[in-house]
């Protein structure tokens, strides 16, 4: 048995098809005519854009417009003025098109790979995908084609790029296994949209599996079995049938309120990264948006988005949610994210550096553009403002003062907004956890960002395999921190939510119920499952389990007890 990242739920059983990637090696050389070489590059870009647009059209039909829009990032990178200028300058300086493309895209790949936020790190895969497409055309090579696979194929590949995923014949692919990638990668998102079981980051799986091998893929648990025994096949065929039945049964929770087993109502909302994601969230029956990562507006722009540009994006989500709550996180960017027009400096330790609210408060005029756009959008729905990486009271007070300045400006302009707009904070640092009582007196709500809270609490980078064992929500230190944050928020009478991955963890949900969590913000596909699990636990049952859990000393003990109690 091999283990990896559980990227897309379900059980897939079929015959392995190991996809061999093309050899894109080349010998650098000086071109005879720079003009001709630039024309080769221009033609490769045009062909890539044409092929990608065709993929977008096919995906729009198979998985919907929102998932298809992911491929738009490829066109943006291919046509990016900065990259095009860099490549052409390198060609004029004596490089062949292949070398110029390779060096330019490698620079951007390294930039995104070194970013702290996993969602931005995953954009490195998009950059690599564009590089592969351009080099393949320049070298006259064919890229991996997954559009004509036999029935019940299990795709096994080193890296499943978004362009490969876009061409997959959904009806013939039983599952996907890769050696790279995470749950937030575009390939994982598309695999979930296609409802194909997928396990990513299985080390050396392309060396272990041969085309023609029988493979079982457990996308829910992140497990892969190669040439399984008869009893394993029988077991997983039964599990596959049960999974299909459970998925159908989840539809019974569509349109229902989210309540515990004893009728206590909580809010079940969605995490989104751009305005179009709101449509997907609504289709999955969310009760609002618990986290809208506004930095995507800035990362995808060539210059600082204007007030009107930002307002349009926030208004679109507000209108789509029809007065359901929409929590929008203000710009969470810093020294680890090189946005050229922000003129950010490199730092030795950007994870603890000049970023998020620290950057925003040092650029108040720029920050007020975003705050004003948020206020304007609040006239069209229940917009709430969330401040990231707060570590002291002064930061939240300064943000609130800027909000008041923006309100005064809108009053002078005669522009409508919600005068009672809520301003809260994301609790994602040990400092914020320790002063949760003081922050609760200043904030209208809390939203716990468990992804960073775990990392900062355990001093462990989740991207570092050597310390990954420490990055675990079941660590007693993390659980004690969660308990304190929720208790202090509830004591102050403010809403306490959670927008990290832990909010959808089926094992952790009874503990969160016991702690008194009021809002669960999860990925859209997890909404109905999370609603079902919440409904299966009464507060008394959750309290009894949690009392035992909080006496345990290790993460392994905690996880084992929660697994034994799982329903």
């Amino acid at each position: 048995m091999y283990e990896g990242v559980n990227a897309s739920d379900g059980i897939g059983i079929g015959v392995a098809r190991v996809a061999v990637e093309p050899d894109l090696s080349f010998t650098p050389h000086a071109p005879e005519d720079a003009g001709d070489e630039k024309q080769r590059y221009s033609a490769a870009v045009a062909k890539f854009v044409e092929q990608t647009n065709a993929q977008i059209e096919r995906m729009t039909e198979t998985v919907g417009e929102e998932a298809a829009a992911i491929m738009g990032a490829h066109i943006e990178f291919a046509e990016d003025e900065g990259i095009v200028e860099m490549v052409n300058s390198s060609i004029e300086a004596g490089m062949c098109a292949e070398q110029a493309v390779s060096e330019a895209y490698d620079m951007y790949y390294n930039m995104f790979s070194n970013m702290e936020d996993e969602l931005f790190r995953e954009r490195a895969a998009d950059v690599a995908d564009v590089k592969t497409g351009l080099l393949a055309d320049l070298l006259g090579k064919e890229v991996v084609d997954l559009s004509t696979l036999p029935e019940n194929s299990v795709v096994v590949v080193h890296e499943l790029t978004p362009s490969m995923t876009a061409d997959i014949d959904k009806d013939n692919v039983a599952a996907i296994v890769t050696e790279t990638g995470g749950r937030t990668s575009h390939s994982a998102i598309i695999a979930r949209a296609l409802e194909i079981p997928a396990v990513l980051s299985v080390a050396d799986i392309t060396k272990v599996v041969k085309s023609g091998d029988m493979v079982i893929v457990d996308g829910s648990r992140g497990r892969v079995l190669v040439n399984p025994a008869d009893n394993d096949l029988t077991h997983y065929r039964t599990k596959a049938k049960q999974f299909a039945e459970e998925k159908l049964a989840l539809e019974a929770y569509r349109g229902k309120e989210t309540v515990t087993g004893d009728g206590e109502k909580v809010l079940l909302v969605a995490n989104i990264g751009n305005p179009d994601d709101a449509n997907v969230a609504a289709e999955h029956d969310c009760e609002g948006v618990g986290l809208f990562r506004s930095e995507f507006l800035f990362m995808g722009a060539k210059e600082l988005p204007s007030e009107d540009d930002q307002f349009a994006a926030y208004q679109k989500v507000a209108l789509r949610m029809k007065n359901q709550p929409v929590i929008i996180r203000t710009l969470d960017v810093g020294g680890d994210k090189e946005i050229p027009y922000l003129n950010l400096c490199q730092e030795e330790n950007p994870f603890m550096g000049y970023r998020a609210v620290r950057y925003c408060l040092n650029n108040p005029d720029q920050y007020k553009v975003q705050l004003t756009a948020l206020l304007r959008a609040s006239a069209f729905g229940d917009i709430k403002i969330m401040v990231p990486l707060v570590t002291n009271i002064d930061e939240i007070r300064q943000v609130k003062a800027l909000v008041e300045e923006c309100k005064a400006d809108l009053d002078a302009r005669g522009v409508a907004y919600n005068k009672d707009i809520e301003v809260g904070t994301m609790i994602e640092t040990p400092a914020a956890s320790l002063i949760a009582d003081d922050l609760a007196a200043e904030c209208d709500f809390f939203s716990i960002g468990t992804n960073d809270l775990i990392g900062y609490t355990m001093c462990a980078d989740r991207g570092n395999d050597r310390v990954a064992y420490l990055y675990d929500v079941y660590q007693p230190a993390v659980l004690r921190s969660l308990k304190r944050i929720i208790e202090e928020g509830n004591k102050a009478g403010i809403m306490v939510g959670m927008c990290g991955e832990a909010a959808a963890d089926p094992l952790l949900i009874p503990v969160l119920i016991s702690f008194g969590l009021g809002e669960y913000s999860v990925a859209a596909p997890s909404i109905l499952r999370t609603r079902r699990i919440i409904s299966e636990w009464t507060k008394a049952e959750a309290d009894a389990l949690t009392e035992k859990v909080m006496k345990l000393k290790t993460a392994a003990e905690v996880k084992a007890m929660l697994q034994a109690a799982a329903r």
Side-chain angles (χ1 to χ4, degrees):
M1 182 185 293
Y2 303 89
E3 296 194 352
V5 174
N6 53 325
S8 182
D9 288 343
I11 306 295
I13 303 173
V15 177
R17 305 294 171 185
V18 181
V20 180
E21 298 180 43
D23 178 9
L24 298 179
S25 59
F26 60 89
T27 302
H29 63 278
E32 294 181 4
D33 187 311
D36 289 346
E37 202 70 2
K38 286 163 71 174
Q39 181 57 41
R40 285 183 65 225
Y41 165 59
S42 178
V45 170
K47 182 177 178 181
F48 179 86
V49 170
E50 181 183 359
Q51 291 174 334
T52 303
N53 276 321
Q55 289 176 326
I56 290 173
E57 288 182 17
R58 289 195 298 273
M59 288 179 66
T60 300
E61 295 178 2
T62 57
V63 296
E65 185 176 345
E66 287 74 26
I70 287 173
M71 296 300 296
H74 288 56
I75 294 177
E76 290 176 11
F77 280 124
E79 296 183 329
D80 183 88
E81 293 178 5
I83 297 178
V84 170
E85 183 178 346
M86 190 183 305
V87 173
N88 282 328
S89 295
S90 296
I91 291 173
E92 290 171 359
M95 285 188 191
C96 62
E98 290 86 350
Q99 183 180 2
V101 165
S102 184
E103 292 193 3
Y105 280 91
D106 282 349
M107 189 197 79
Y108 274 79
Y109 179 87
N110 292 331
M111 177 186 78
F112 282 109
S113 295
N114 291 324
M115 290 180 178
E116 177 199 4
D117 192 311
E118 184 178 358
L119 288 164
F120 287 115
R121 286 204 305 268
E122 296 294 358
R123 295 203 73 181
D126 298 325
V127 174
D129 208 3
V130 178
K131 172 189 169 184
T132 296
L134 294 176
L135 284 180
D137 184 72
L138 290 168
L139 295 167
K141 301 291 182 68
E142 291 293 327
V143 295
V144 175
D145 182 8
L146 302 179
S147 61
T148 57
L149 294 167
E151 191 176 0
N152 287 328
S153 292
V154 174
V155 175
V156 182
V157 65
H158 170 68
E159 179 178 14
L160 185 73
T161 65
S163 59
M164 288 183 204
T165 321
D167 286 330
I168 278 182
D169 182 352
K170 174 185 176 181
D171 294 333
N172 288 343
V173 176
I176 297 166
V177 185
T178 76
E179 294 178 334
T180 64
R183 278 192 62 84
T184 57
S185 67
H186 283 169
S187 296
I189 292 169
I190 296 172
R192 289 194 289 272
L194 289 166
E195 299 183 340
I196 297 174
V199 177
L200 311 185
S201 289
V202 183
D204 297 323
I205 194 67
T206 59
K207 297 183 180 70
V208 173
V209 179
K210 301 179 181 62
S211 290
D213 285 344
M214 173 64 71
V215 178
I216 296 173
V217 178
D218 185 342
S220 303
R221 292 180 175 267
R223 295 173 178 173
V224 179
L225 285 75
V226 181
N227 293 322
D230 289 343
N231 61 322
D232 286 326
L233 271 173
T234 301
H235 171 70
Y236 276 97
R237 281 172 178 154
T238 301
K239 284 192 68 173
K241 182 180 178 182
Q242 290 173 342
F243 180 85
E245 291 171 348
E246 288 171 3
K247 184 179 176 183
L248 185 62
L250 285 179
E251 289 300 314
Y253 293 88
R254 187 177 295 277
K256 301 290 181 63
E257 285 191 332
T258 305
V259 293
T260 61
D262 47 357
E264 184 177 337
K265 186 173 180 353
V266 295
L267 200 61
L268 184 56
V269 291
N271 299 329
I272 66 172
N274 61 62
D276 289 334
D277 286 349
N279 295 322
V280 179
E283 289 167 5
H284 283 84
D285 204 36
C286 72
E287 298 167 359
V289 171
L291 171 63
F292 176 7
R293 303 176 179 91
S294 68
E295 53 270 20
F296 279 82
L297 294 169
F298 296 78
M299 294 293 290
K302 294 181 175 63
E303 59 184 8
L304 191 68
S306 68
E307 178 186 316
D308 285 342
D309 288 339
Q310 294 189 57
F311 162 69
Y314 308 144
Q315 180 197 43
K316 183 175 182 180
V317 176
L319 291 172
R320 183 65 182 87
M321 288 297 105
K322 300 176 181 176
N323 291 316
Q324 292 178 321
V326 176
I327 296 177
I328 301 179
R329 183 175 70 188
T330 61
L331 181 61
D332 188 1
V333 71
D336 64 321
K337 301 182 180 75
E338 289 186 23
I339 301 179
Y341 60 80
L342 294 184
N343 299 313
L344 299 170
C345 298
Q346 289 288 334
E347 298 179 301
E348 288 187 13
N349 190 352
F351 308 136
M352 297 185 182
Y354 183 60
R355 52 175 293 244
V357 69
R358 302 166 184 180
Y359 170 83
C360 290
L361 288 175
N362 276 281
N363 293 274
D365 291 339
Q366 176 183 309
Y367 197 26
K368 285 166 68 175
V369 172
Q370 180 173 35
L371 295 174
T372 300
L374 288 165
L375 283 165
R376 287 174 57 190
S378 72
F380 298 88
D382 187 12
I383 297 284
K384 304 176 192 293
I385 298 172
M386 180 161 66
V387 187
L389 205 74
V390 168
T391 55
N392 61 66
I393 291 293
D394 288 337
E395 289 166 336
I396 196 69
R397 286 176 175 170
Q398 289 177 54
V399 172
K400 289 167 68 177
L402 289 178
V403 170
E404 292 304 313
E405 290 181 26
C406 295
K407 287 181 178 180
D409 176 62
L410 289 175
D411 287 337
R413 289 159 56 182
V415 177
Y417 64 91
N418 176 13
K419 297 185 185 299
D420 298 318
I421 192 169
E422 293 186 7
V423 179
T425 184
M426 178 176 274
I427 305 289
E428 53 189 327
T429 67
S433 172
L434 289 169
I435 62 167
D437 52 344
D438 294 330
L439 286 173
E442 294 284 341
C443 296
D444 295 311
F445 65 89
F446 284 165
S447 186
I448 306 171
T450 53
N451 297 354
D452 277 344
L453 183 63
I454 297 168
Y456 283 125
T457 299
M458 300 306 300
C459 298
D461 177 6
R462 58 182 159 172
N464 185 337
D465 292 340
R466 300 182 71 178
V467 297
Y469 69 96
L470 293 170
Y471 187 91
D472 194 333
V473 72
Y474 308 120
Q475 293 283 356
V478 176
L479 293 180
R480 292 181 191 183
S481 183
L482 296 179
K483 185 173 188 288
R484 171 177 171 75
I485 295 164
I486 296 169
E487 283 182 347
E488 293 298 339
N490 287 340
K491 193 185 302 181
I494 65 172
M495 188 278 288
V496 183
M498 181 180 289
C499 56
E501 290 287 331
D505 185 335
L507 299 182
L508 194 66
I509 284 174
V511 176
L512 299 178
I513 291 172
S514 177
F515 287 169
L517 188 70
E519 179 215 64
Y520 299 69
S521 190
V522 305
S526 298
I527 288 171
L528 294 182
R529 185 190 65 176
T530 303
R531 183 172 292 152
R532 174 182 64 80
I533 295 170
I534 290 172
S535 74
E536 294 175 341
W537 288 91
T538 66
K539 181 69 161 57
E541 291 168 338
D543 286 344
L545 173 62
T546 302
E547 183 179 0
K548 297 175 184 176
V549 165
M550 297 304 288
K551 293 177 181 177
L552 301 177
K553 307 301 181 185
T554 70
E557 291 171 347
V558 169
K559 187 173 183 179
M561 180 173 285
L562 294 178
Q563 285 177 327
R567 297 175 176 176

Coordinates of all heavy atoms in Angstrom, one line a residue, residues 380-429:
F380 N -25.0 46.1 -0.9 CA -25.6 45.1 -1.7 C -25.7 43.8 -1.1 O -26.1 42.8 -1.7 CB -24.9 45.0 -3.1 CG -24.9 46.3 -3.9 CD1 -23.9 47.3 -3.6 CD2 -25.9 46.6 -4.8 CE1 -23.9 48.5 -4.3 CE2 -25.9 47.8 -5.5 CZ -24.9 48.7 -5.2
G381 N -25.2 43.6 0.2 CA -25.3 42.3 0.8 C -24.6 42.4 2.2 O -24.2 43.5 2.6
D382 N -24.5 41.3 2.9 CA -24.0 41.3 4.2 C -22.5 41.1 4.2 O -22.0 40.0 4.6 CB -24.7 40.1 5.0 CG -24.3 40.2 6.5 OD1 -23.7 41.1 7.0 OD2 -24.6 39.2 7.2
I383 N -21.8 42.1 3.7 CA -20.3 42.0 3.7 C -19.8 42.3 5.1 O -20.2 43.2 5.8 CB -19.8 43.1 2.7 CG1 -20.3 42.9 1.3 CG2 -18.3 43.2 2.8 CD1 -19.6 41.8 0.6
K384 N -18.7 41.5 5.4 CA -18.0 41.7 6.7 C -16.5 41.8 6.3 O -16.0 41.1 5.4 CB -18.2 40.5 7.6 CG -19.7 40.3 8.0 CD -19.8 39.0 8.9 CE -21.3 38.6 9.0 NZ -22.1 39.5 9.7
I385 N -15.8 42.6 7.1 CA -14.4 42.8 6.8 C -13.5 42.0 7.8 O -13.7 42.1 9.0 CB -14.0 44.3 6.9 CG1 -14.8 45.1 5.9 CG2 -12.5 44.5 6.7 CD1 -14.6 46.6 6.0
M386 N -12.6 41.2 7.2 CA -11.7 40.4 8.1 C -10.3 40.8 7.9 O -9.8 40.9 6.8 CB -11.9 38.9 7.8 CG -11.0 38.0 8.7 SD -11.6 36.3 8.8 CE -11.3 35.8 7.1
V387 N -9.6 41.0 9.0 CA -8.2 41.4 9.0 C -7.3 40.3 9.3 O -7.4 39.6 10.3 CB -8.0 42.6 10.1 CG1 -6.6 43.2 9.9 CG2 -9.1 43.6 9.9
P388 N -6.3 40.0 8.4 CA -5.4 38.8 8.6 C -4.2 39.2 9.4 O -3.7 40.3 9.5 CB -5.0 38.5 7.2 CG -5.0 39.8 6.5 CD -6.1 40.6 7.1
L389 N -3.6 38.2 10.1 CA -2.3 38.2 10.8 C -2.3 39.3 11.9 O -1.3 39.9 12.1 CB -1.2 38.4 9.8 CG 0.2 37.8 10.4 CD1 0.2 36.3 10.3 CD2 1.3 38.4 9.6
V390 N -3.4 39.5 12.6 CA -3.4 40.4 13.7 C -2.6 39.7 14.9 O -2.9 38.6 15.2 CB -4.8 40.8 14.1 CG1 -4.8 41.5 15.5 CG2 -5.5 41.6 13.1
T391 N -1.7 40.5 15.5 CA -1.0 40.0 16.7 C -1.1 40.9 17.9 O -0.6 40.5 19.0 CB 0.5 39.8 16.3 OG1 1.0 41.0 15.9 CG2 0.7 38.7 15.3
N392 N -1.7 42.1 17.7 CA -1.9 42.9 18.9 C -3.1 43.8 18.7 O -3.6 44.0 17.6 CB -0.6 43.8 19.1 CG -0.3 44.7 18.0 OD1 -1.0 45.6 17.6 ND2 0.8 44.4 17.3
I393 N -3.5 44.4 19.8 CA -4.7 45.3 19.8 C -4.6 46.5 18.9 O -5.5 46.9 18.2 CB -5.1 45.7 21.2 CG1 -5.5 44.5 22.0 CG2 -6.1 46.8 21.2 CD1 -6.8 43.9 21.6
D394 N -3.4 47.1 18.9 CA -3.2 48.3 18.1 C -3.6 48.1 16.6 O -4.1 49.0 16.0 CB -1.7 48.8 18.2 CG -1.4 49.4 19.6 OD1 -2.4 49.8 20.3 OD2 -0.2 49.4 20.0
E395 N -3.2 46.9 16.1 CA -3.5 46.7 14.7 C -5.0 46.7 14.3 O -5.4 47.4 13.4 CB -2.9 45.3 14.3 CG -1.4 45.4 14.2 CD -0.7 44.0 14.2 OE1 -1.4 43.0 14.6 OE2 0.4 43.9 13.7
I396 N -5.8 46.1 15.1 CA -7.2 46.1 14.8 C -7.8 47.5 15.1 O -8.7 47.9 14.3 CB -7.9 45.0 15.6 CG1 -9.3 44.7 15.0 CG2 -8.0 45.3 17.1 CD1 -9.3 44.0 13.7
R397 N -7.3 48.2 16.1 CA -7.8 49.5 16.3 C -7.5 50.5 15.2 O -8.3 51.3 14.8 CB -7.2 50.1 17.6 CG -7.8 49.5 18.9 CD -7.2 50.0 20.1 NE -7.8 49.5 21.3 CZ -7.3 49.6 22.6 NH1 -6.2 50.2 22.8 NH2 -8.0 49.1 23.6
Q398 N -6.3 50.3 14.6 CA -5.9 51.2 13.5 C -6.7 50.9 12.2 O -7.1 51.8 11.5 CB -4.4 51.0 13.2 CG -3.4 51.5 14.2 CD -2.0 51.2 13.9 OE1 -1.5 51.5 12.8 NE2 -1.3 50.6 14.9
V399 N -7.0 49.6 12.0 CA -7.9 49.2 10.9 C -9.2 49.8 11.0 O -9.8 50.4 10.1 CB -7.9 47.7 10.7 CG1 -9.0 47.4 9.6 CG2 -6.6 47.1 10.3
K400 N -9.8 49.7 12.2 CA -11.1 50.3 12.5 C -11.1 51.8 12.3 O -12.1 52.4 11.8 CB -11.6 49.9 13.9 CG -11.9 48.4 14.0 CD -12.1 48.0 15.5 CE -13.3 48.6 16.1 NZ -13.5 48.1 17.5
A401 N -10.0 52.5 12.7 CA -10.0 53.9 12.5 C -10.0 54.3 11.0 O -10.6 55.2 10.6 CB -8.7 54.5 13.2
L402 N -9.2 53.5 10.2 CA -9.2 53.7 8.7 C -10.6 53.4 8.1 O -11.0 54.2 7.2 CB -8.2 52.8 8.1 CG -6.7 53.1 8.3 CD1 -5.8 52.0 7.6 CD2 -6.4 54.5 7.8
V403 N -11.3 52.4 8.7 CA -12.7 52.2 8.2 C -13.6 53.4 8.5 O -14.4 53.8 7.6 CB -13.3 50.9 8.9 CG1 -14.8 50.8 8.6 CG2 -12.6 49.7 8.4
E404 N -13.4 54.0 9.6 CA -14.2 55.2 9.9 C -13.9 56.4 9.0 O -14.7 57.1 8.6 CB -14.0 55.6 11.4 CG -14.5 54.6 12.4 CD -16.0 54.4 12.2 OE1 -16.8 55.4 12.0 OE2 -16.4 53.2 12.2
E405 N -12.6 56.5 8.6 CA -12.2 57.5 7.7 C -12.8 57.3 6.3 O -13.3 58.2 5.7 CB -10.7 57.6 7.5 CG -9.9 58.1 8.7 CD -8.4 58.1 8.5 OE1 -8.0 58.2 7.3 OE2 -7.6 58.0 9.4
C406 N -12.9 56.0 5.9 CA -13.5 55.7 4.6 C -15.0 55.9 4.7 O -15.6 56.4 3.7 CB -13.2 54.2 4.3 SG -11.5 53.8 4.0
K407 N -15.6 55.7 5.8 CA -17.1 56.0 6.0 C -17.3 57.5 5.8 O -18.3 57.9 5.1 CB -17.6 55.5 7.3 CG -17.7 54.0 7.5 CD -18.2 53.7 8.9 CE -18.4 52.2 9.1 NZ -18.9 51.9 10.5
A408 N -16.5 58.3 6.4 CA -16.7 59.7 6.3 C -16.5 60.2 4.9 O -17.3 61.1 4.4 CB -15.6 60.4 7.2
D409 N -15.6 59.6 4.2 CA -15.4 60.0 2.8 C -16.6 59.6 1.9 O -17.0 60.4 1.1 CB -14.1 59.2 2.2 CG -13.9 59.5 0.7 OD1 -13.7 60.7 0.4 OD2 -14.0 58.5 -0.1
L410 N -17.2 58.4 2.2 CA -18.3 58.0 1.4 C -19.6 58.8 1.8 O -20.4 59.1 0.9 CB -18.6 56.5 1.7 CG -17.7 55.5 1.1 CD1 -18.0 54.1 1.5 CD2 -17.7 55.6 -0.4
D411 N -19.7 59.2 3.0 CA -20.7 60.1 3.4 C -20.6 61.5 2.6 O -21.6 62.0 2.2 CB -20.7 60.4 4.9 CG -21.1 59.3 5.8 OD1 -21.9 58.4 5.3 OD2 -20.7 59.2 7.0
A412 N -19.4 62.0 2.5 CA -19.2 63.2 1.8 C -19.5 63.0 0.3 O -20.0 64.0 -0.3 CB -17.8 63.7 2.0
R413 N -19.3 61.8 -0.2 CA -19.6 61.6 -1.6 C -21.1 61.2 -1.8 O -21.5 61.0 -3.0 CB -18.7 60.4 -2.1 CG -17.2 60.9 -2.3 CD -16.3 59.7 -2.3 NE -16.6 58.7 -3.3 CZ -15.9 57.5 -3.4 NH1 -14.9 57.3 -2.6 NH2 -16.2 56.7 -4.4
G414 N -21.8 61.0 -0.7 CA -23.2 60.6 -0.9 C -23.4 59.2 -1.3 O -24.4 58.9 -2.0
V415 N -22.4 58.3 -1.0 CA -22.5 56.9 -1.5 C -23.0 56.0 -0.3 O -22.6 56.2 0.8 CB -21.1 56.4 -1.9 CG1 -21.1 54.9 -2.3 CG2 -20.5 57.3 -3.0
A416 N -23.9 55.1 -0.6 CA -24.5 54.3 0.4 C -23.6 53.1 0.8 O -22.8 52.7 0.0 CB -25.8 53.7 -0.2
Y417 N -23.7 52.7 2.1 CA -23.0 51.6 2.6 C -23.6 51.2 3.9 O -24.5 51.9 4.4 CB -21.5 51.9 2.8 CG -21.3 53.0 3.9 CD1 -21.1 52.7 5.2 CD2 -21.3 54.4 3.5 CE1 -20.9 53.7 6.2 CE2 -21.1 55.4 4.5 CZ -20.9 55.0 5.8 OH -20.8 56.0 6.8
N418 N -23.3 50.0 4.4 CA -23.8 49.5 5.7 C -23.0 50.2 6.8 O -21.9 49.9 7.1 CB -23.7 48.0 5.8 CG -24.1 47.4 7.1 OD1 -24.7 48.2 7.9 ND2 -23.8 46.2 7.4
K419 N -23.7 51.1 7.5 CA -23.0 51.8 8.6 C -22.6 51.0 9.7 O -21.8 51.3 10.5 CB -23.9 53.0 9.0 CG -24.2 54.0 7.9 CD -25.0 55.2 8.5 CE -25.3 56.2 7.3 NZ -24.1 56.8 6.7
D420 N -23.3 49.8 9.8 CA -23.0 48.9 10.9 C -22.1 47.7 10.5 O -22.2 46.6 11.0 CB -24.3 48.3 11.6 CG -25.1 49.5 12.2 OD1 -24.5 50.3 12.8 OD2 -26.3 49.5 12.0
I421 N -21.4 47.9 9.4 CA -20.5 46.8 8.9 C -19.6 46.2 10.0 O -19.1 46.9 10.8 CB -19.7 47.3 7.7 CG1 -19.1 46.1 6.9 CG2 -18.6 48.3 8.1 CD1 -18.4 46.4 5.6
E422 N -19.5 44.9 10.0 CA -18.7 44.2 11.0 C -17.3 44.1 10.6 O -17.0 43.8 9.4 CB -19.3 42.8 11.3 CG -20.7 42.8 12.0 CD -21.1 41.5 12.4 OE1 -20.3 40.5 12.3 OE2 -22.3 41.3 12.8
V423 N -16.4 44.3 11.5 CA -15.0 44.2 11.3 C -14.4 43.2 12.3 O -14.6 43.3 13.5 CB -14.2 45.5 11.5 CG1 -12.7 45.4 11.3 CG2 -14.8 46.6 10.6
G424 N -13.8 42.1 11.8 CA -13.3 41.1 12.7 C -11.9 40.7 12.3 O -11.3 41.3 11.4
T425 N -11.4 39.7 12.9 CA -10.0 39.3 12.6 C -9.9 37.8 12.4 O -10.7 37.0 13.0 CB -9.1 39.7 13.8 OG1 -7.7 39.4 13.4 CG2 -9.4 39.0 15.1
M426 N -8.9 37.4 11.6 CA -8.5 36.0 11.5 C -7.6 35.7 12.6 O -6.6 36.4 12.8 CB -7.9 35.8 10.1 CG -7.4 34.3 9.9 SD -6.8 34.0 8.3 CE -8.3 33.6 7.4
I427 N -7.9 34.7 13.4 CA -7.0 34.3 14.5 C -6.1 33.2 13.9 O -6.6 32.0 13.7 CB -7.8 33.8 15.7 CG1 -8.8 34.8 16.1 CG2 -6.9 33.4 16.8 CD1 -8.2 36.0 16.8
E428 N -4.9 33.5 13.7 CA -4.0 32.5 13.0 C -2.6 32.5 13.6 O -1.7 31.9 13.1 CB -3.9 32.8 11.5 CG -3.5 34.2 11.2 CD -3.6 34.6 9.7 OE1 -3.4 33.7 8.9 OE2 -4.0 35.7 9.4
T429 N -2.4 33.2 14.8 CA -1.1 33.2 15.4 C -1.2 32.9 16.9 O -2.3 33.2 17.5 CB -0.4 34.6 15.3 OG1 -1.2 35.6 16.1 CG2 -0.3 35.1 13.8

